[in-house]
mmCIF file of all heavy atoms in Angstrom:
data_model
loop_
_atom_site.group_PDB
_atom_site.id
_atom_site.type_symbol
_atom_site.label_atom_id
_atom_site.label_comp_id
_atom_site.label_asym_id
_atom_site.label_seq_id
_atom_site.Cartn_x
_atom_site.Cartn_y
_atom_site.Cartn_z
ATOM 1 N N ARG A 19 103.634 100.827 86.305
ATOM 2 C CA ARG A 19 102.423 101.326 85.644
ATOM 3 C C ARG A 19 102.524 102.829 85.358
ATOM 4 O O ARG A 19 101.992 103.309 84.359
ATOM 5 C CB ARG A 19 101.218 101.042 86.551
ATOM 6 C CG ARG A 19 99.888 101.005 85.860
ATOM 7 C CD ARG A 19 98.772 100.592 86.818
ATOM 8 N NE ARG A 19 98.976 99.291 87.408
ATOM 9 C CZ ARG A 19 98.647 98.132 86.838
ATOM 10 N NH1 ARG A 19 98.095 98.132 85.636
ATOM 11 N NH2 ARG A 19 98.865 96.986 87.450
ATOM 12 N N GLN A 70 127.543 98.400 89.843
ATOM 13 C CA GLN A 70 127.852 97.823 88.527
ATOM 14 C C GLN A 70 126.624 97.785 87.633
ATOM 15 O O GLN A 70 126.737 97.595 86.428
ATOM 16 C CB GLN A 70 128.415 96.396 88.677
ATOM 17 C CG GLN A 70 127.396 95.267 88.549
ATOM 18 C CD GLN A 70 127.935 93.884 88.817
ATOM 19 O OE1 GLN A 70 129.083 93.702 89.167
ATOM 20 N NE2 GLN A 70 127.089 92.885 88.669
ATOM 21 N N LYS A 86 104.269 94.667 78.308
ATOM 22 C CA LYS A 86 102.830 94.791 78.556
ATOM 23 C C LYS A 86 102.259 93.470 79.063
ATOM 24 O O LYS A 86 101.393 93.452 79.942
ATOM 25 C CB LYS A 86 102.116 95.235 77.283
ATOM 26 C CG LYS A 86 100.630 95.502 77.517
ATOM 27 C CD LYS A 86 100.041 96.412 76.491
ATOM 28 C CE LYS A 86 98.646 96.896 76.891
ATOM 29 N NZ LYS A 86 97.768 95.853 77.420
ATOM 30 N N GLN A 116 119.282 76.174 73.913
ATOM 31 C CA GLN A 116 119.185 75.680 75.289
ATOM 32 C C GLN A 116 117.776 75.796 75.843
ATOM 33 O O GLN A 116 117.578 75.675 77.065
ATOM 34 C CB GLN A 116 120.143 76.475 76.192
ATOM 35 C CG GLN A 116 121.597 76.286 75.888
ATOM 36 C CD GLN A 116 122.140 74.991 76.465
ATOM 37 O OE1 GLN A 116 121.496 74.337 77.272
ATOM 38 N NE2 GLN A 116 123.337 74.615 76.054
#
Side-chain angles (χ1 to χ4, degrees):
Chain A
R19 202 175 301 276
Q70 95 185 3
K86 185 158 192 316
Q116 294 281 348

